[in-house]
Amino acid sequence: MHVDVLTLFPELFATYLETSIVGRAREADIVTVDCVSYRDFAQDKHRSVDDRPFGGGPGMVLMCHPVFDALHHVESRREGEPTRILLTPQGQRLTQAVVTELSARPWLVVLCGHYEGFDERIRTGIDAREISIGDYVLSGGEPAAMVMIDALVRLLPGALGHERSAAEDSFTDGLLEYPQYTRPRAYRGMEVPDVLLSGDHGKIEAWRREQAIARTKHRRPDLLNGVGSST
Ligand code: 9D3
């Protein structure tokens, strides 16, 4: 998969993209990511990318010109059809189902907004899917882009190595995670459940599933509509 990220702050992505699962996936060429600055496509000598809203009101609005030019730049340097994603607070909510769908696309172009948002002609003039990561206000789309890339990369074949499959992850089978423990067996009087030390893998699996279901019922009953009810 290739991802182009269009942003006012490409430098925000550097350490994130070098670290952990995403960093490893990039080293293994499972994913490539290019961050491109709208600023490089500004028109005037001040390199403006935003301006005050027509009609008045607070904040600044991302201008058409640098955004359309940056988009044209990244899209003309490779073959094929990209899937365009506009990150906005009024987009479709990012869920694991949306992530799964997007993970099958070979090429994503992700547009981050900042300030009070994009000029409306960007929304209407480019055929993009609008996505939000949740109902809270961010200062810009950059953290949302990192969230989306992180969730996507985990689903790419080989990204998690051999130790664990994405299919085991929470939200994939619709249940929350079961409780996990590591050494020591007792810490400040708190003991690891005996079943996990029993060596009986059938019993351990049954216990984990029962714990996951109980936890999901208690904390996220909304997740239990049909999924995870096969046992
Ligand atoms: C006054 C209306 N505001 C919308 C709630 C304006 C506004 C605030 C913050 C417009 C854009 C932003 C910046 N946010 C994003 O670019 C963003 C976002 C978010 O704020 N929450 C959840 N998902 C996303 S994706 C991009």
Side-chain angles (χ1 to χ4, degrees):
M1 168 182 278
H2 178 73
V3 184
D4 288 301
V5 180
L6 308 189
T7 171
L8 279 168
F9 303 103
E11 68 277 9
L12 280 178
F13 291 82
T15 33
Y16 183 73
L17 293 173
E18 283 164 16
T19 307
S20 186
I21 305 270
V22 174
R24 270 208 337 235
R26 287 177 61 234
E27 270 171 31
D29 269 330
I30 291 166
V31 64
T32 51
V33 184
D34 277 331
C35 298
V36 169
S37 175
Y38 297 126
R39 190 79 63 189
D40 293 343
F41 300 89
Q43 294 294 298
D44 60 335
K45 66 167 191 253
H46 304 292
R47 304 182 77 208
S48 310
V49 291
D50 60 314
D51 207 340
R52 297 156 70 185
F54 278 125
M60 300 289 272
V61 175
L62 258 182
M63 300 161 78
C64 286
H65 217 128
V67 174
F68 278 96
D69 283 8
L71 183 65
H72 180 256
H73 170 78
V74 300
E75 292 192 351
S76 55
R77 62 185 186 181
R78 65 174 51 231
E79 297 297 312
E81 272 287 296
T83 298
R84 296 167 176 165
I85 295 165
L86 199 59
L87 293 169
T88 72
Q90 61 272 327
Q92 178 191 14
R93 178 77 59 85
L94 188 70
T95 61
Q96 191 67 24
V98 172
V99 172
T100 300
E101 190 195 327
L102 294 176
S103 71
R105 312 286 171 90
W107 180 13
L108 304 179
V109 177
V110 180
L111 296 98
C112 302
H114 218 87
Y115 313 116
E116 295 304 304
F118 295 94
D119 186 303
E120 185 65 16
R121 292 165 292 189
I122 295 165
R123 202 187 318 286
T124 55
I126 73 172
D127 182 30
R129 182 150 176 185
E130 277 185 61
I131 289 187
S132 158
I133 62 164
D135 293 340
Y136 35 81
V137 182
L138 301 172
S139 305
E142 288 78 11
M146 291 186 230
V147 164
M148 205 179 70
I149 290 167
D150 189 290
L152 280 167
V153 167
R154 304 174 58 75
L155 297 184
L156 300 179
L160 295 186
H162 302 295
E163 75 278 10
R164 189 151 187 242
S165 81
E168 283 175 36
D169 269 12
S170 193
F171 292 108
T172 303
D173 69 354
L175 294 175
L176 299 182
E177 217 99 309
Y178 50 78
Q180 304 230 66
Y181 299 85
T182 186
R183 294 188 303 165
R185 284 174 64 156
Y187 180 72
R188 298 190 179 175
M190 298 179 284
E191 307 263 351
V192 173
D194 284 336
V195 61
L196 298 178
L197 308 169
S198 68
D200 182 337
H201 295 291
K203 243 168 82 180
I204 290 168
E205 204 194 308
W207 180 85
R208 285 178 167 166
R209 180 139 189 100
E210 172 194 300
Q211 290 286 315
I213 291 169
R215 184 175 272 192
T216 308
K217 254 183 207 153
H218 182 242
R219 298 193 192 180
R220 293 293 307 277
D222 58 298
L223 295 178
L224 281 175
N225 297 320
V227 278
S229 56
S230 52
T231 55

